Amino acid sequence: GHRMVLRKANYLTVQTGENQHIMLNPEWLQTINHSCEPNVFFNTTTFELQALEDVRPGEEFGFFYPSTEWHMSSP
């Protein structure tokens, strides 16, 4: 889910439209790291975190930042 919609990106948001960025909820979702081999995906239509493969207990989630960002707020 999301808790706030912003017009401008920051390092904690996920882009859902040209001028629409959401703050994820629960907050721990905001700190999922980038991966070139992601195991999760943010579905910006359903606002769900989806596993792309089996994720083992204790394994860190990683997603491919450019899959949701049209222009990165910071590298």
Side-chain angles (χ1 to χ4, degrees):
H2 66 284
R3 63 181 176 94
M4 185 182 305
V5 178
L6 306 171
R7 289 190 50 75
K8 187 172 179 182
N10 68 49
Y11 73 99
L12 296 174
T13 60
V14 170
Q15 189 166 5
T16 59
E18 186 171 346
N19 293 307
Q20 185 171 317
H21 308 268
I22 60 171
M23 296 290 292
L24 297 171
N25 192 38
E27 288 186 18
W28 65 265
L29 291 172
Q30 297 172 18
T31 59
I32 293 178
N33 288 321
H34 168 77
S35 176
C36 289
E37 296 180 23
N39 58 7
V40 296
F41 171 74
F42 288 117
N43 184 325
T44 58
T45 301
T46 63
F47 300 108
E48 295 176 320
L49 182 67
Q50 298 177 335
L52 298 173
E53 59 188 43
D54 288 337
V55 180
R56 296 181 307 276
E59 183 179 356
E60 184 176 318
F61 292 145
F63 88 103
F64 187 61
Y65 286 176
S67 69
T68 62
E69 301 304 310
W70 302 357
H71 304 286
M72 297 294 288
S73 173
S74 59

